[in-house]
């Protein structure tokens, strides 16, 4: 099992991840790791792909039609789930769904700001961490609007630091301002009895296929 450097300078173990992929007219399969999957799907707009902890889960997802609404076998808690990713090779995208993978961003943004996958594309000028923070903001807005008590994401940086207003001032000003806004939203959400919880990226129905 290899190790990688995390955001705080510590070494952490990284579990192997399997990526199921399907390209209409171009085959399908399970890649062992993002490096292998990227070569197959990057730049192909019709490609569908999803990361899993176990090969069996990846194979089952393909067998069920490579449907993004089908994420994994285990039952998820009701709530609003958020994520950001760059897996399509067109820059950062923001995703917010319910526990079944149903897209919800249209409840926070005008439909013309969503792409054909019903995600919000931010382009290549922003970081994935900024995308996660913006996704958290929209998830909180939707949860408060709908009276949902739980918001889930897989970003440790956003959930345990930035959305709690624990952020260094050397980040870009736009990120700093957004973190302050998200922290205020989270404080109000929790004041109303809501919870913001961290889950595994492999079990996030809002997952965009790359972290």
């Amino acid at each position: 099992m290899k190790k990688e450097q995390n955001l705080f300078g510590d070494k952490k173990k990284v579990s192997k991840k399997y990526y199921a992929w399907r390209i209409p007219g171009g085959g399908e399969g399970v890649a062992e790791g993002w490096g292998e999957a990227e070569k197959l799907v990057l730049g192909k707009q019709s490609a569908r792909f999803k990361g899993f902890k176990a090969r069996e889960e990846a194979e089952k997802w393909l067998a069920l039609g490579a449907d993004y609404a089908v994420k994994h076998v285990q039952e998820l808690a009701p709530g609003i789930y958020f994520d950001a990713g760059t897996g399509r090779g067109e820059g950062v995208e923001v995703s917010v769904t319910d526990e079944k993978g149903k897209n919800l961003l249209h409840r926070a943004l005008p439909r013309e700001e969503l792409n054909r996958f019903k995600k919000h594309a931010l382009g290549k000028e922003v970081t994935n961490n900024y995308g996660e923070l913006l996704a958290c903001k929209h998830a909180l807005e939707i949860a408060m609007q709908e009276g949902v008590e739980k918001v889930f994401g897989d970003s440790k940086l956003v959930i345990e630091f930035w959305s709690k207003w624990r952020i260094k001032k050397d980040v870009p000003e736009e990120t700093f301002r957004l973190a302050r806004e998200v922290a205020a939203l989270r404080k109000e959400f929790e004041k109303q009895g809501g919870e913001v919880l961290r889950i595994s990226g492999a079990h996030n129905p809002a997952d965009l296929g790359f972290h």
Side-chain angles (χ1 to χ4, degrees):
M1 187 176 291
K2 66 179 181 178
K3 294 184 177 180
E4 68 175 16
Q5 196 82 12
N6 69 16
L7 291 166
F8 305 99
D10 302 322
K11 295 285 187 178
K12 64 178 183 179
K13 292 183 178 180
V14 179
S15 299
K16 192 171 189 178
K17 196 169 184 180
Y18 297 88
Y19 284 84
W21 59 273
R22 173 177 290 177
I23 301 172
E28 64 178 42
V30 177
E32 296 187 1
W34 174 246
E36 181 182 335
E38 182 180 28
K39 297 175 184 178
L40 296 165
V41 303
L42 194 62
K44 297 182 173 67
Q45 293 188 357
S46 59
R48 302 176 73 83
F49 52 94
K50 175 74 178 72
F52 298 88
K53 282 187 174 181
R55 175 180 286 275
E56 293 76 13
E57 292 180 352
E59 291 172 346
K60 182 170 184 178
W61 186 71
L62 287 174
L64 292 172
D67 185 351
Y68 283 123
V70 177
K71 302 297 174 178
H72 40 261
V73 177
Q74 78 175 57
E75 194 74 20
L76 289 174
I80 308 297
Y81 292 74
F82 70 89
D83 188 33
T86 58
R88 263 186 277 273
E90 300 175 354
V92 176
E93 292 180 52
V94 166
S95 172
V96 178
T97 75
D98 64 12
E99 67 277 7
K100 297 179 181 178
K102 180 181 178 182
N103 289 300
L104 298 177
L105 271 176
H106 62 279
R107 299 182 184 177
L109 294 169
R111 291 182 184 272
E112 56 266 26
E113 293 187 22
L114 306 181
N115 62 20
R116 64 193 182 94
F117 304 102
K118 299 182 181 179
K119 312 298 183 183
H120 181 45
L122 300 177
K124 299 181 179 180
E125 302 303 314
V126 303
T127 65
N128 195 67
N129 286 332
Y130 178 87
E132 292 274 6
L133 186 61
L134 184 61
C136 182
K137 174 191 172 183
H138 293 319
L140 286 166
E141 290 172 335
I142 295 168
M144 294 172 72
Q145 173 186 318
E146 302 292 326
V148 176
E149 296 181 348
K150 295 183 187 296
V151 166
F152 300 88
D154 55 55
S155 169
K156 179 177 181 179
L157 180 66
V158 169
I159 291 175
E160 298 184 13
F161 294 90
W162 286 3
S163 68
K164 292 182 176 181
W165 193 229
R166 297 168 63 187
I167 185 170
K168 295 180 179 180
K169 291 185 177 180
D170 59 356
V171 300
E173 178 61 26
E174 186 177 8
T175 301
F176 192 79
R177 289 198 306 267
L178 180 59
R180 183 165 51 197
E181 184 179 355
V182 173
L185 272 173
R186 177 171 180 171
K187 185 176 181 179
E188 181 61 26
F189 178 61
E190 292 177 335
K191 185 179 179 181
Q192 296 175 10
E195 290 183 278
V196 180
L197 303 166
R198 187 170 171 229
I199 60 168
S200 163
H203 293 151
N204 187 351
D207 180 45
L208 281 158
F210 178 75
H211 299 279

